[in-house]
Amino acid sequence: MSIVKVKTEGGAYSIHIAPNLLQQVGTSIPPDATSVVLISNPTVFGLYGKTVLQSLEASGKKISVFEVPDGEAYKTLETLNSIYTFLLEQRLDRRAVIVALGGGVIGDMCGFAAATYMRGIRFIQVPTTLLAQVDSSVGGKTAVNHPMGKNMIGAFYQPIAVDIDTTVLGTLPEREIAAGLAEVIKYGLILDAGFFDWCEQNVASLKALEPEAIGYAVQRSCELKAYVVSEDEKETGMRAILNLGHTFGHAIEAGLGFGTWLHGEAVGCGMVQAAELSARVCGFPQADVERVRALVAAIGCPVTAPDLGTDKWIELMQIDKKAEGGKIKFIVMPGIGQAKSQTVPREDLMLVLKKTTQKG
Amino acid sequence: MSIVKVKTEGGAYSIHIAPNLLQQVGTSIPPDATSVVLISNPTVFGLYGKTVLQSLEASGKKISVFEVPDGEAYKTLETLNSIYTFLLEQRLDRRAVIVALGGGVIGDMCGFAAATYMRGIRFIQVPTTLLAQVDSSVGGKTAVNHPMGKNMIGAFYQPIAVDIDTTVLGTLPEREIAAGLAEVIKYGLILDAGFFDWCEQNVASLKALEPEAIGYAVQRSCELKAYVVSEDEKETGMRAILNLGHTFGHAIEAGLGFGTWLHGEAVGCGMVQAAELSARVCGFPQADVERVRALVAAIGCPVTAPDLGTDKWIELMQIDKKAEGGKIKFIVMPGIGQAKSQTVPREDLMLVLKKTTQKG
């Protein structure tokens, strides 16, 4: 088992990474927990519910199960409220522990439920998508969507453990693997040129989910994310570099309607757009833009953005959480393995949108 | 002006207490704020909106105003969502500051909105009821109600300042003054026997809102609350003593329907019940029970609880946030000025309910 430590002001915890780890989730339940509620969706619960329940039952705690509908469209205040109601019906007190079994939607929403139920109870992330394993389950960002923007309602709230079973990736659709690999590549782009090279060289093994390759990719991604989050839990500075490709990506998701493109697909395309923007504003080599485009395409993500119309693009990007005082800040790269936040001239942005979006 | 400092892990800030302080709220706006949103209800905004707006406009920031309906019945996820929608429509970013002008409902709900909008923006409490001035505006407890329980959804989240104008108390109905004084008395009961004596001696001046008396009562209450909150921000230990009378009080509020009794009225009555319970389980002198009953009556709060039926009482008290593992914990007093948390035998609770509730 690989263990990655995360230390933040909001708490210190371990990420455990291993094949077949679902069978051991029960060992993460703290002795003083009064009860455990497993929250999942019907798809994931159908596949792994029995295994996780068996493991949790070994902890000897009172266990209850709640299923929420599957998909980003249900990451809403309304679904969140159904979780609160269930927790209250079960009379769960402040020493109850939530186990979030699923992808980013489940993890973000359960984390926010844990952050706000009775002003905060403990929770454990058990991410079952590659995207959640390498990104959303680590670092304590929790949220639900608002019709006017993704993740607009949320909290910084750390789990007490993250249990990552890499075996479960075998049941994911190919699109979801591609979406997860986009975030893996991102870590190389913003922090570790050597890891980016490694991804280029091992893209076939990663796509095929070869255990050694995917295990290393998950571990390295978690290490790099844990490093960033430990430095800046609440995104007052450095953490913003994790948003490479995300301002473009969120606009794509919101513009097409959440769920049309997977989050990772939108980020993959957004990273190509961010690379083009970096070439215009901070000297990112055009040859490296092409490397980014080629690798994003090789993992199976789109590299051409939808034509939302310029006004809609601008509108959607300004409402993003990274907007401050009406100016749009972007994460840009001076080179592979380096990233920084800066505001960019509107005309450069226009040219990049023109170059990277599909003509209607 | 009196200044009381509050230091917690979640932030350090000052409580400013003075007559006519509304005219200076603008000076609490930090220079790096991008914009300010004033949130209030029609009643309070009608009385003080103009004064506060003038002060805020002097800060030179973009100001917007949002009104929510008046009353505990609107302290819901639905109203909260209307705040989020307004903030998004105004395109408020992470450097916006919320100013909460109103009583506990406004303060709790705006605090929770600030805690969760874009995962946290800054907010300032400007409490306009006595209850909010001495209790809910200090300490960072934010929340909304759920149909199944009061304050069940919330967060610990500290304001950046609390601005208390004692002049505004002059427009409050007598019931609200009584409700606020219940919490003032509470601080004496749990922490400061001398302050309890002082309240007994000055009850007429307090009810008449004589400036010197009420100013001292607010200041001493804030000092005592700030001390407790600095020791235990997240209620893992000592902070629980602030809940004296609250387990009974919450049951009254929920049992009759939120808003029938004012929170402070329910707490006032709950303190009489807690005193009776303390006499049974930890030697609180019966003579002091009568002092508590007499003072609660003298400030104008009810001292006899409604007859909810025993089963309903137990059900409502078990679902309270202070319940753990099905047992009911109470804050009890060995003597005036001392308080502790303990579980109590069911039969003592039954006897206290029998003695303190109205016969139908």
Side-chain angles (χ1 to χ4, degrees):
Chain A
M1 188 194 304
S2 306
I3 296 182
V4 178
K5 301 268 185 191
V6 186
K7 278 190 192 173
T8 71
E9 283 177 22
Y13 55 97
S14 295
I15 306 167
H16 311 106
I17 306 161
N20 301 310
L21 193 64
L22 290 187
Q23 297 161 23
Q24 295 173 56
V25 170
T27 60
S28 292
I29 303 297
D32 70 338
T34 45
S35 53
V36 178
V37 54
L38 176 64
I39 304 182
S40 191
N41 66 42
T43 309
V44 174
F45 190 78
L47 288 165
Y48 307 117
K50 200 174 155 189
T51 305
V52 175
L53 273 182
Q54 276 178 349
S55 171
L56 290 174
E57 275 155 10
S59 74
K61 308 291 181 189
K62 178 197 156 200
I63 314 286
S64 50
V65 176
F66 188 63
E67 292 184 38
V68 297
D70 193 1
E72 185 83 34
Y74 296 97
K75 190 175 146 181
T76 60
L77 270 185
E78 197 178 349
T79 310
L80 182 69
N81 197 27
S82 73
I83 296 176
Y84 294 139
T85 301
F86 178 78
L87 299 177
L88 286 165
E89 283 169 353
Q90 295 291 310
R91 297 175 171 265
L92 294 185
D93 64 28
R94 285 180 168 172
R95 289 197 290 163
V97 174
I98 291 176
V99 174
L101 175 70
V105 171
I106 290 286
D108 285 6
M109 194 157 48
C110 291
F112 189 53
T116 53
Y117 181 68
M118 295 191 173
R119 299 198 185 94
I121 63 174
R122 292 168 292 184
F123 82 112
I124 295 169
Q125 293 273 23
V126 187
T128 57
T129 65
L130 181 56
L131 186 78
Q133 293 186 348
V134 299
D135 182 23
S136 57
S137 72
V138 178
K141 276 195 180 179
T142 71
V144 294
N145 298 329
H146 184 281
M148 293 179 68
K150 193 171 152 70
N151 293 330
M152 284 293 152
I153 306 163
F156 291 99
Y157 195 75
Q158 302 294 334
I160 58 169
V162 182
D163 291 340
I164 299 178
D165 182 339
T166 48
T167 313
V168 305
L169 301 177
T171 56
L172 289 179
E174 204 171 342
R175 264 183 84 185
E176 294 220 21
I177 297 296
L181 289 174
E183 296 277 357
V184 170
I185 291 170
K186 185 192 74 180
Y187 293 108
L189 279 176
I190 60 177
L191 284 166
D192 187 343
F195 183 52
F196 184 84
D197 295 347
W198 181 90
C199 289
E200 286 184 318
Q201 287 149 23
N202 292 274
V203 65
S205 309
L206 288 171
K207 285 199 68 175
L209 297 176
E210 288 178 17
E212 200 176 332
I214 203 74
Y216 176 70
V218 171
Q219 180 195 328
R220 187 69 191 138
S221 297
C222 287
E223 282 169 357
L224 290 166
K225 177 142 191 191
Y227 162 71
V228 173
V229 169
S230 301
E231 293 287 313
D232 176 23
E233 179 182 9
K234 296 194 177 165
E235 198 165 349
T236 53
M238 180 193 190
R239 184 167 180 162
I241 64 171
L242 294 174
N243 292 318
L244 178 75
H246 281 58
T247 301
F248 292 108
H250 282 180
I252 294 172
E253 289 185 88
L256 296 178
F258 291 113
T260 310
W261 283 27
L262 296 176
H263 174 67
E265 290 174 328
V267 168
C269 181
M271 290 193 298
V272 176
Q273 295 178 284
E276 290 282 9
L277 186 62
S278 302
R280 295 202 67 82
V281 301
C282 63
F284 191 69
Q286 193 62 43
D288 286 341
V289 176
E290 300 315 324
R291 283 177 71 193
V292 174
R293 195 185 312 272
L295 186 52
V296 169
I299 59 172
C301 281
V303 292
T304 306
D307 183 13
L308 305 172
T310 306
D311 291 349
K312 188 80 182 164
W313 268 104
I314 297 293
E315 185 196 330
L316 289 167
M317 290 193 293
Q318 272 175 341
I319 210 166
D320 188 274
K321 288 186 298 303
K322 273 81 65 186
E324 275 183 15
K327 289 181 196 163
I328 311 182
K329 273 190 175 175
F330 284 86
I331 306 303
V332 291
M333 299 172 286
I336 288 177
Q338 302 160 42
K340 62 176 183 175
S341 173
Q342 74 173 55
T343 53
V344 301
R346 194 183 164 97
E347 63 179 52
D348 286 308
L349 190 56
M350 293 295 114
L351 286 167
V352 168
L353 286 175
K354 196 172 173 188
K355 182 169 180 185
T356 57
T357 56
Q358 194 144 29
K359 303 309 163 288
Chain B
M1 189 193 305
S2 306
I3 297 181
V4 178
K5 301 268 187 191
V6 187
K7 278 191 189 169
T8 70
E9 283 178 24
Y13 56 98
S14 295
I15 307 168
H16 311 107
I17 306 162
N20 301 310
L21 193 64
L22 289 187
Q23 297 162 22
Q24 296 174 54
V25 171
T27 59
S28 292
I29 304 297
D32 70 337
T34 46
S35 53
V36 177
V37 55
L38 176 64
I39 304 183
S40 192
N41 66 43
T43 309
V44 174
F45 190 78
L47 288 166
Y48 308 116
K50 200 173 154 190
T51 305
V52 175
L53 274 181
Q54 276 178 351
S55 172
L56 290 174
E57 275 156 9
S59 73
K61 308 292 181 187
K62 179 196 156 202
I63 314 286
S64 50
V65 176
F66 188 62
E67 292 184 38
V68 297
D70 194 1
E72 183 83 33
Y74 297 97
K75 191 174 144 180
T76 59
L77 270 184
E78 198 177 349
T79 310
L80 182 72
N81 197 28
S82 74
I83 296 176
Y84 294 139
T85 301
F86 178 78
L87 299 176
L88 286 163
E89 281 169 356
Q90 294 290 312
R91 297 175 174 263
L92 293 185
D93 64 29
R94 284 179 170 172
R95 287 197 293 161
V97 174
I98 291 177
V99 174
L101 176 68
V105 170
I106 290 286
D108 285 8
M109 194 156 50
C110 290
F112 190 53
T116 53
Y117 181 68
M118 295 189 174
R119 299 198 185 93
I121 63 174
R122 290 168 293 184
F123 82 114
I124 295 170
Q125 293 273 21
V126 187
T128 57
T129 66
L130 181 56
L131 185 81
Q133 292 186 349
V134 299
D135 182 23
S136 59
S137 71
V138 178
K141 276 195 180 180
T142 73
V144 294
N145 298 328
H146 185 280
M148 292 179 69
K150 193 172 152 66
N151 293 328
M152 285 294 152
I153 305 163
F156 291 99
Y157 194 74
Q158 303 294 334
I160 58 168
V162 182
D163 290 342
I164 298 178
D165 183 338
T166 48
T167 313
V168 305
L169 301 177
T171 56
L172 289 178
E174 205 172 342
R175 264 183 83 187
E176 294 219 22
I177 297 295
L181 289 175
E183 297 276 357
V184 171
I185 291 171
K186 184 191 76 180
Y187 294 109
L189 279 176
I190 60 176
L191 283 166
D192 186 343
F195 183 52
F196 185 82
D197 296 347
W198 181 91
C199 289
E200 285 184 319
Q201 289 149 21
N202 293 275
V203 65
S205 309
L206 289 170
K207 284 198 70 177
L209 297 175
E210 286 178 17
E212 200 177 331
I214 204 74
Y216 176 70
V218 170
Q219 181 195 327
R220 187 70 192 136
S221 296
C222 287
E223 283 169 359
L224 290 166
K225 178 144 190 190
Y227 162 71
V228 173
V229 169
S230 301
E231 293 287 312
D232 177 24
E233 181 181 7
K234 297 195 177 164
E235 199 166 350
T236 54
M238 180 192 189
R239 184 166 181 162
I241 66 171
L242 294 173
N243 292 318
L244 179 74
H246 280 60
T247 302
F248 291 107
H250 281 180
I252 294 172
E253 290 185 87
L256 295 179
F258 290 113
T260 310
W261 285 27
L262 297 176
H263 174 68
E265 291 175 325
V267 168
C269 181
M271 289 194 297
V272 176
Q273 296 179 285
E276 290 282 9
L277 186 62
S278 302
R280 295 202 68 82
V281 302
C282 64
F284 190 70
Q286 192 64 42
D288 285 342
V289 176
E290 300 316 323
R291 283 176 72 192
V292 174
R293 183 176 277 119
L295 187 52
V296 170
I299 59 172
C301 282
V303 292
T304 304
D307 183 14
L308 305 172
T310 306
D311 290 351
K312 189 79 180 167
W313 268 104
I314 298 294
E315 184 195 330
L316 289 168
M317 291 193 292
Q318 275 177 341
I319 211 167
D320 188 274
K321 290 187 295 303
K322 274 79 65 185
E324 275 184 12
K327 288 181 195 161
I328 311 181
K329 273 191 175 174
F330 284 86
I331 305 304
V332 290
M333 300 171 285
I336 289 178
Q338 303 161 40
K340 62 176 184 175
S341 172
Q342 73 174 54
T343 54
V344 301
R346 193 182 164 97
E347 62 180 49
D348 287 307
L349 189 56
M350 292 296 115
L351 287 166
V352 168
L353 286 175
K354 198 173 171 188
K355 183 171 180 185
T356 58
T357 56
Q358 193 146 29
K359 301 312 162 289

